[in-house]
Every structure is written in C-alpha cells, then in structure tokens.
Amino acid sequence: MSSGPAGQTARSSVPPITRVQRSATLRTTLRSADGVRLDAAYDPGPGPVGGPAIVVAHGFTGDRARPHVRRAARAFAQRAAVVTFSFRGHGASGGRSTVGDREVLDVAAAVAWARSLGHTRVVTVGFSMGGSVVLRHAALHRGRTEARVDAVVAVSAPARWFYRGTAPMRRLHWLVTRPAGRAVGRLGLRTRIHPREWDPVPLSPTEAVPLLAPTPLLIVHGDRDPYFPVDHPRMLAAAASGAAELWLEAGMGHAEHAADDALLGRIADWATASWTSATAE
C-alpha cells in the first residue's frame, strides 16, 4: 500500500515548541514526513517539565477522540504526559490508512512533537494495529534523535501479516481488500482505507522485534483475544530472545476496549519506571 518503504522518507516537519502551559491540554495538527496532516493532542500530566511522555497509537478504525482511546489516555495521564493522535485515514486526520505500513511516519511525527515539548524520555504504547506500528517505528528509527523512543509497549499486536485464522480477522480483511468493505469503513467507521496493496510488504512485527535492542520492550496480550490468539505474543517474545517482558493477561480480550484501568495503570508504571528510578538517584 505504499510507493516505498516507510521509515526511509525525509525527516518529519514538526514545529519546535520549547514551553507549554502545564495546566492545559494542547491540540494541534502535525504533519508526517510524507505530508499527511495528523490530528493530535497533548496532556502535560502531573509530572515536571521534561518528565516522561507516553505516545498512544490506537488500533485500526479507532481515532484519538474515541471513548476507549480517551480512557486509556486519561489513565496514562495520571502518571505521565500523554500525546494522542489519529493515524492517517482515521478521524480528523488526513490521508488514507495503509493498515500499518506508512503509519510509522505518523508515530515518528508524534514522538518528535513530544520531544519538542521538552520530554527527554518518550515511550510508545500501541494497541492492535498500533502495536505493530510502534514495533516497526522503533526498529526503523533507532538513533534518530527527534523520532527515537526510549521504550515500547505493544498491546494485542499481531506477530505476522495476512493472518486470517479468526473470524474477526477474516472480516477485517474483507473490510480492507474489497470496495464494499472500504465503503463500510469510510461511511460507518470513519476510516478511509487506501485501495492499493502493499508494495513492498513492510517489515513484519516479528522481524522488527530483534532490531529494537537495547530498547526495552513490553508485550501485553489477553488470553481471550478474539483477533490474535496467544501464539502471536509468544512469537513476538521469542523473537526478542529474552530481551522483552511478556504479560499474558487472564480473561482479557482485544486492545483498548479490553484493557481495564488497572492494566493501563500497570502499563504506565512500567513506562515511567526507569525515568522515576533514574531521577531518584
């Protein structure tokens, strides 16, 4: 669904911001490296200026204003600053969804924005499609100062592309690949889907994971996920060769909808733990 491998385009254009009002939520329009407008928002959270920031990458057919995404953002904002945005083709953002390919450029723009706001530690937390995107983003942006991340959390992420082993994933493939499905996505789900197939096929999540080290990685997955069974998180953890932490959550379903406040709080604690311990020394 792209004309070239995502992550190899010129650097993103994010306006530098050196000061932000700590009590107010800030809303803006970011622009990805390939020129797509992205609806984004920033909550400064409870911590000091320069403290950790969490960038939230929602799942397919979500957007930053959806109730389940807002709930996750509110839970994270109790412990850190939070950047939310809508992927291309979703909600108020421009462009069309490439279902996980060029979305790495959207994450890069959001991470760079967080750094421009003064945050020296930025952690990405991705759900479902967003989980696969944050894995690929971290692999493709190692060493790039403005877009690199300090840790990654993938929640309910697939391990491989083109998976059709469950009924929900077969429905999703119909939505993405058929003209009637894309019409349903556009009219019923506020998701505009690109009609072209991937060319080339992007790096798979399991191929991306070994490239993350030494970036800390947390993999979170429910044992009742109706989209991706537990062999997916186990494959991701195995690809990390012991360098990732795996949480298999009993009774949990899929992504943002299924993550309760207690789990979101534990994810935020993990995301901020190394920064907190470093500043306490």
Side-chain angles (χ1 to χ4, degrees):
M1 289 186 175
S2 70
S3 58
Q8 297 181 8
T9 313
R11 62 182 179 275
S12 61
S13 54
V14 180
I17 301 173
T18 56
R19 299 183 65 186
V20 64
Q21 184 178 343
R22 298 297 296 168
S23 61
T25 298
L26 176 65
R27 184 172 177 180
T28 193
T29 299
L30 303 177
R31 194 170 293 274
S32 68
D34 59 346
V36 177
R37 294 178 297 100
L38 305 170
D39 179 36
Y42 171 79
D43 187 323
V49 174
I54 295 173
V55 173
V56 180
H58 62 76
F60 184 60
T61 74
D63 65 63
R64 71 161 197 86
R66 300 272 188 178
H68 52 283
V69 179
R70 297 310 315 151
R71 181 174 62 85
R74 285 194 299 270
F76 295 155
Q78 295 179 26
R79 295 164 173 82
V82 177
V83 170
T84 52
F85 67 96
S86 295
F87 278 121
R88 61 186 63 208
H90 291 73
S93 290
R96 288 183 286 184
S97 174
T98 64
V99 199
D101 180 13
R102 301 193 72 80
E103 281 76 7
V104 295
L105 303 176
D106 305 346
V107 172
V111 170
W113 187 41
R115 293 202 182 279
S116 78
L117 293 167
H119 296 283
T120 57
R121 175 177 171 83
V122 180
V123 179
T124 48
V125 179
F127 295 89
S128 192
M129 180 192 78
S132 70
V133 175
V134 297
L135 292 172
R136 291 183 53 245
H137 164 265
L140 293 169
H141 290 80
R142 292 166 297 161
R144 301 184 184 186
T145 303
E146 67 171 7
R148 67 173 179 81
V149 290
D150 298 282
V152 181
V153 183
V155 183
S156 304
R160 55 192 185 273
W161 302 138
F162 309 114
Y163 177 72
R164 292 178 170 85
T166 58
M169 285 305 297
R170 290 190 287 274
R171 289 193 294 269
L172 187 145
H173 278 274
W174 175 83
L175 189 77
V176 170
T177 61
R178 302 295 182 88
R182 292 192 292 272
V184 169
R186 183 178 68 256
L187 299 174
L189 301 172
R190 297 179 61 199
T191 304
R192 303 169 304 283
I193 304 165
H194 206 294
R196 291 198 298 270
E197 294 183 358
W198 286 336
D199 183 21
V201 175
L203 194 71
S204 76
T206 48
E207 292 170 327
V209 164
L211 304 178
L212 267 63
T215 303
L217 170 61
L218 172 62
I219 300 164
V220 182
H221 211 94
D223 66 359
R224 295 187 180 179
D225 191 315
Y227 286 80
F228 306 113
V230 294
D231 61 318
H232 283 259
R234 287 173 175 154
M235 287 175 64
L236 292 172
S241 299
E245 192 169 343
L246 173 60
W247 296 355
L248 283 178
E249 297 295 313
M252 178 185 168
H254 187 67
E256 305 101 318
H257 296 278
D260 61 23
D261 289 348
L263 174 59
L264 294 169
R266 285 195 285 127
I267 290 171
D269 286 341
W270 184 93
T272 58
S274 62
W275 185 88
T276 303
S277 60
T279 55
E281 292 176 356

